[in-house]
Amino acid sequence: MTASHTQPMHTAKHAWATGLSAFAAVMLLITGVLDICRGIMAVAQDSVFVTTRNYVFQFDLTGWGWVHIALGIAAVIISLGLFQTATWARVAGVAVAGLVIIANFLSLPYYPVWSVVMIAISGFVIWALCVVERGSLFGPSGESPPSGP
């Protein structure tokens, strides 16, 4: 007995979902790499960052650099999962992008323009991961592709 497997038709909705997933994966990868670079700058040379007086949140820049490095590494790993369209990566991507937004908000006085750029990129990542319905990644019927031989 043979089983016939049909390929799902490529529709505009499928292309849109694939495009948004790829967009989120690439942007999260870029965010992660940039966050790693920013963390390395903070750990290596504290004089790179400008500090303001009387800011509510006072942090040691070396410790803050390690936070950015950890978030960046997590973002890079999750973006690799997003390229595989893994559900865990979508959930973790939203969570890490939210943490990146919080971290960059708290570091506004140290690097204001860069923080705003990272907040905007992370906001787009959250939007792209939340807009696509789970079933639309696989095809118009919402079924996952067949697995196995």
Side-chain angles (χ1 to χ4, degrees), residues 20-77:
L20 279 178
S21 297
F23 170 80
V26 169
M27 293 307 285
L28 194 60
L29 180 67
I30 291 170
T31 299
V33 169
L34 293 175
D35 234 11
I36 291 170
C37 293
R38 183 178 183 183
I40 291 171
M41 286 188 322
V43 169
Q45 298 234 351
D46 290 348
S47 62
V48 171
F49 295 93
V50 177
T51 58
T52 59
R53 290 195 253 168
N54 302 326
Y55 186 58
V56 175
F57 304 107
Q58 299 280 330
F59 299 107
D60 174 44
L61 284 178
T62 303
W64 201 236
W66 285 109
V67 169
H68 282 284
I69 290 172
L71 284 174
I73 290 170
V76 168
I77 291 169

Side-chain angles (χ1 to χ4, degrees), residues 84-139:
Q84 302 296 320
T85 65
T87 302
W88 66 265
R90 288 183 63 196
V91 172
V94 170
V96 166
L99 290 174
V100 168
I101 287 174
I102 292 169
N104 282 287
F105 174 77
L106 293 175
S107 64
L108 272 170
Y110 303 112
Y111 225 54
V113 175
W114 192 253
S115 294
V116 170
V117 169
M118 294 297 282
I119 288 169
I121 290 173
S122 297
F124 282 125
V125 168
I126 291 172
W127 171 78
L129 291 175
C130 291
V131 162
V132 179
E133 296 175 9
R134 182 173 183 239
S136 65
L137 289 175
F138 300 112

